[in-house]
Amino acid sequence: MTQPIIERRFPDSFVWGSATASYQIEGAANEGGRGRSIWDTFSHTPGKTLNGDTGDVADDHYHRWREDISLMQELGLQSYRLSIAWPRVQPGGTGVLNAEGVTFYRDLLDGLIEAGIDPVVTLYHWDLPQELQDAGGWANRETAYAFAEYARAMARELGDRVKVWTTLNEPWCTAYLGYASGVHAPGHTDPAEALTAAHHLNLAHGLATTAVREVLGQDAQVSITLNLHVTRPADPESAADLDAAHRVDLVGNHIFLGPILDGSYPMELTELTRHVTDWSFVREGDLNLIRQRVDVLGVNYYSTNYVRQLAPGEAPGGGSGGHGSGAGSPWVSLDDVEFLAPTGPLTAMGWNIEPDGLYELLTALDNAYDGLPLMVTENGAAFDDEVSDDGKIHDTNRINYVARHLDAVAQAIEDGADVRGYFVWSLLDNFEWAWGYTRRFGIVRVDYDTQVRTPKDSARWYADVIRTGIVNVPATANVGATEGV
Ligand code: GBH
């Protein structure tokens, strides 16, 4: 099918990368002196993940990382975003380091650097050492201090090999999915704990940033990656729906943006959640500890939300967007907010496809934080890939998804946002948390029986984008996506 094409050209300095996370790809859960993490415990608890899938083997990246670097090189990746498994390098979460774990990452980083690939390293992508969870996890303030010491140790051990340190990946997920909805480890459903955890994650970010700079100097580049929610009112004319979207913005976004970038929690947020907690977990001086220079803000973007405000006493309607409101919802204090079931073209996660949400997010951040450097640290899609008779994976839907989101990035840059790079999620099909291995986000297919990697069409396409700096965007909306309900 021929279709009109828009051509987008990216600046030469734009960084092209791909991302993964330790628990999702490494496997070797009981090797090399690795300690247990909350995801080992959670995934081994019956009923927590689809089909009881665990990260025990995953992509076996722990043993195959050399092959995986070759793959990255073949695709021409300029940068690779990975995460360090805290329990691999410091099994109990405090105290002595595990030399074998540190050596694994040192070799991996050296391999990347030799291959001309810049590592972007995240210190925490959800695999908390189990021992720290036994002491309360992120609901315990001590975890923030332990995290800072772990960050300090990593800066010492690996600092000369890493250009940009990222403290946390998506603290929203850790706090709300881990402690409010319970769909992520440790699987708690306590709204007060979730807000407490959010604060301790903010504190952990601030303390770790300071620790890294104490070791590597004040110029050391530090970032954090947030999954910010682009939320739209179901009826843009409705003041009630607008108010619902505003409250989602407070509970979902400003609980992190506020302390980290503005130096305070919005008063509206503390008022809104007053019935859940008195916020006494915020101690004097905390906000100064949290607000540290952020050199680049990592933005993970997949989809948008549509919300409406329920009338008093009204029950939420048919679909509630995969998370719903009320008990078991990640949306603390938003019992009267209904998340609409997404319509139109969806990915295999059931998420709608709305590239302009990414444009909106990047330009809004640029406006609010006056030229703050931004990096799209995750964007991508799961689809039900099919292997053709020729052995190839013709994932036009994924190519279109990525192309259209890159179009949004290009537009944001054109309109003044300082977006420095893009990391497609993910390099490899991998352990998709509660969904186990049933959802495939990779631009490279992984056969979980043989561990054979096969680049999908999207990988070849992305390699061309990297080589040329040019994206051909299909002008037809939503091409190749699966139709939703
Ligand atoms: C990221 O999480 C993770 O960093 C990564 O590890 C993961 O594999 C990847 O994305 C793909 O999931 O709850 O229906 O309203 C993203 C998690 C996805 C959580 C979007 C909030 C909103 C959709 N976020 N989700 S819904």
Short mmCIF file of all heavy atoms in Angstrom, two decimals, residues 456-478:
data_model
loop_
_atom_site.label_atom_id
_atom_site.label_comp_id
_atom_site.label_asym_id
_atom_site.label_seq_id
_atom_site.Cartn_x
_atom_site.Cartn_y
_atom_site.Cartn_z
N LYS A 456 13.86 -8.17 14.34
CA LYS A 456 12.59 -8.01 13.62
C LYS A 456 12.78 -6.92 12.54
O LYS A 456 13.79 -6.21 12.56
CB LYS A 456 11.49 -7.58 14.61
CG LYS A 456 11.32 -8.55 15.79
CD LYS A 456 10.28 -8.06 16.81
CE LYS A 456 10.33 -8.91 18.08
NZ LYS A 456 9.39 -8.41 19.14
N ASP A 457 11.82 -6.78 11.66
CA ASP A 457 11.91 -5.71 10.66
C ASP A 457 12.13 -4.35 11.32
O ASP A 457 12.84 -3.50 10.79
CB ASP A 457 10.63 -5.65 9.81
CG ASP A 457 10.55 -6.78 8.80
OD1 ASP A 457 11.48 -7.63 8.78
OD2 ASP A 457 9.56 -6.84 8.04
N SER A 458 11.52 -4.17 12.49
CA SER A 458 11.66 -2.88 13.19
C SER A 458 13.12 -2.61 13.56
O SER A 458 13.55 -1.45 13.57
CB SER A 458 10.78 -2.85 14.44
OG SER A 458 11.08 -3.93 15.30
N ALA A 459 13.88 -3.66 13.84
CA ALA A 459 15.29 -3.47 14.19
C ALA A 459 16.07 -2.98 12.96
O ALA A 459 16.88 -2.05 13.05
CB ALA A 459 15.89 -4.77 14.71
N ARG A 460 15.79 -3.59 11.81
CA ARG A 460 16.45 -3.18 10.55
C ARG A 460 16.07 -1.74 10.23
O ARG A 460 16.89 -0.94 9.82
CB ARG A 460 16.01 -4.08 9.40
CG ARG A 460 16.18 -5.55 9.69
CD ARG A 460 17.58 -6.03 9.33
NE ARG A 460 17.79 -7.42 9.72
CZ ARG A 460 18.88 -7.86 10.34
NH1 ARG A 460 19.88 -7.04 10.63
NH2 ARG A 460 19.00 -9.13 10.65
N TRP A 461 14.80 -1.47 10.40
CA TRP A 461 14.30 -0.12 10.14
C TRP A 461 14.98 0.90 11.07
O TRP A 461 15.42 1.95 10.63
CB TRP A 461 12.77 -0.11 10.34
CG TRP A 461 12.15 1.24 10.23
CD1 TRP A 461 11.72 1.86 9.10
CD2 TRP A 461 11.89 2.15 11.31
NE1 TRP A 461 11.21 3.10 9.40
CE2 TRP A 461 11.30 3.30 10.75
CE3 TRP A 461 12.10 2.10 12.70
CZ2 TRP A 461 10.92 4.40 11.52
CZ3 TRP A 461 11.71 3.19 13.47
CH2 TRP A 461 11.13 4.32 12.88
N TYR A 462 15.08 0.54 12.34
CA TYR A 462 15.68 1.45 13.32
C TYR A 462 17.16 1.67 12.99
O TYR A 462 17.68 2.78 13.12
CB TYR A 462 15.51 0.88 14.73
CG TYR A 462 15.80 1.85 15.86
CD1 TYR A 462 15.18 3.09 15.91
CD2 TYR A 462 16.70 1.51 16.88
CE1 TYR A 462 15.44 3.98 16.95
CE2 TYR A 462 16.96 2.40 17.93
CZ TYR A 462 16.33 3.62 17.96
OH TYR A 462 16.59 4.50 18.98
N ALA A 463 17.83 0.62 12.52
CA ALA A 463 19.24 0.74 12.14
C ALA A 463 19.39 1.79 11.02
O ALA A 463 20.33 2.60 11.04
CB ALA A 463 19.79 -0.61 11.69
N ASP A 464 18.46 1.78 10.07
CA ASP A 464 18.49 2.77 8.99
C ASP A 464 18.27 4.18 9.53
O ASP A 464 18.89 5.14 9.08
CB ASP A 464 17.38 2.48 7.96
CG ASP A 464 17.79 1.38 7.01
OD1 ASP A 464 19.00 1.04 6.98
OD2 ASP A 464 16.90 0.84 6.31
N VAL A 465 17.34 4.29 10.48
CA VAL A 465 17.07 5.60 11.09
C VAL A 465 18.34 6.13 11.75
O VAL A 465 18.72 7.29 11.58
CB VAL A 465 15.93 5.50 12.13
CG1 VAL A 465 15.83 6.78 12.96
CG2 VAL A 465 14.60 5.20 11.45
N ILE A 466 19.02 5.26 12.47
CA ILE A 466 20.24 5.68 13.17
C ILE A 466 21.31 6.10 12.16
O ILE A 466 21.99 7.11 12.33
CB ILE A 466 20.77 4.54 14.08
CG1 ILE A 466 19.74 4.19 15.16
CG2 ILE A 466 22.12 4.91 14.70
CD1 ILE A 466 20.08 2.97 16.00
N ARG A 467 21.43 5.32 11.11
CA ARG A 467 22.46 5.60 10.09
C ARG A 467 22.21 6.93 9.38
O ARG A 467 23.13 7.69 9.13
CB ARG A 467 22.47 4.44 9.08
CG ARG A 467 23.75 4.25 8.32
CD ARG A 467 23.77 2.93 7.53
NE ARG A 467 22.46 2.55 7.00
CZ ARG A 467 21.85 3.10 5.95
NH1 ARG A 467 22.45 4.04 5.26
NH2 ARG A 467 20.65 2.68 5.57
N THR A 468 20.94 7.21 9.10
CA THR A 468 20.63 8.39 8.28
C THR A 468 20.18 9.60 9.10
O THR A 468 20.25 10.73 8.63
CB THR A 468 19.48 8.07 7.30
OG1 THR A 468 18.32 7.67 8.07
CG2 THR A 468 19.88 6.93 6.36
N GLY A 469 19.69 9.36 10.30
CA GLY A 469 19.10 10.45 11.09
C GLY A 469 17.75 10.89 10.53
O GLY A 469 17.24 11.95 10.89
N ILE A 470 17.20 10.07 9.67
CA ILE A 470 15.94 10.44 9.01
C ILE A 470 14.85 9.40 9.33
O ILE A 470 15.09 8.20 9.26
CB ILE A 470 16.12 10.54 7.49
CG1 ILE A 470 17.03 11.72 7.15
CG2 ILE A 470 14.78 10.66 6.77
CD1 ILE A 470 17.45 11.78 5.69
N VAL A 471 13.67 9.92 9.65
CA VAL A 471 12.53 9.04 9.88
C VAL A 471 11.46 9.34 8.85
O VAL A 471 11.04 10.49 8.70
CB VAL A 471 11.93 9.25 11.29
CG1 VAL A 471 10.70 8.38 11.50
CG2 VAL A 471 12.96 8.97 12.37
N ASN A 472 11.05 8.33 8.13
CA ASN A 472 9.91 8.48 7.23
C ASN A 472 8.65 8.11 7.98
O ASN A 472 8.46 6.95 8.36
CB ASN A 472 10.09 7.61 5.99
CG ASN A 472 11.20 8.14 5.11
OD1 ASN A 472 11.24 9.33 4.80
ND2 ASN A 472 12.12 7.28 4.74
N VAL A 473 7.81 9.09 8.17
CA VAL A 473 6.62 8.88 9.00
C VAL A 473 5.43 8.61 8.10
O VAL A 473 5.13 9.42 7.24
CB VAL A 473 6.33 10.14 9.85
CG1 VAL A 473 5.19 9.87 10.80
CG2 VAL A 473 7.57 10.59 10.58
N PRO A 474 4.75 7.50 8.30
CA PRO A 474 3.55 7.25 7.49
C PRO A 474 2.50 8.30 7.83
O PRO A 474 2.23 8.55 9.01
CB PRO A 474 3.10 5.86 7.92
CG PRO A 474 3.74 5.63 9.23
CD PRO A 474 4.99 6.45 9.28
N ALA A 475 1.93 8.92 6.81
CA ALA A 475 0.97 10.00 7.08
C ALA A 475 -0.39 9.45 7.49
O ALA A 475 -1.18 10.14 8.10
CB ALA A 475 0.83 10.87 5.84
N THR A 476 -0.66 8.20 7.17
CA THR A 476 -1.95 7.61 7.54
C THR A 476 -1.94 7.29 9.03
O THR A 476 -1.04 6.62 9.52
CB THR A 476 -2.18 6.30 6.76
OG1 THR A 476 -1.85 6.55 5.41
CG2 THR A 476 -3.60 5.84 6.88
N ALA A 477 -2.96 7.75 9.70
CA ALA A 477 -3.00 7.56 11.15
C ALA A 477 -3.13 6.08 11.51
O ALA A 477 -3.86 5.33 10.86
CB ALA A 477 -4.16 8.34 11.74
N ASN A 478 -2.40 5.69 12.54
CA ASN A 478 -2.59 4.38 13.19
C ASN A 478 -2.38 3.16 12.29
O ASN A 478 -2.91 2.09 12.56
CB ASN A 478 -4.00 4.29 13.79
CG ASN A 478 -4.19 5.35 14.85
OD1 ASN A 478 -3.26 5.72 15.54
ND2 ASN A 478 -5.40 5.86 14.95
#
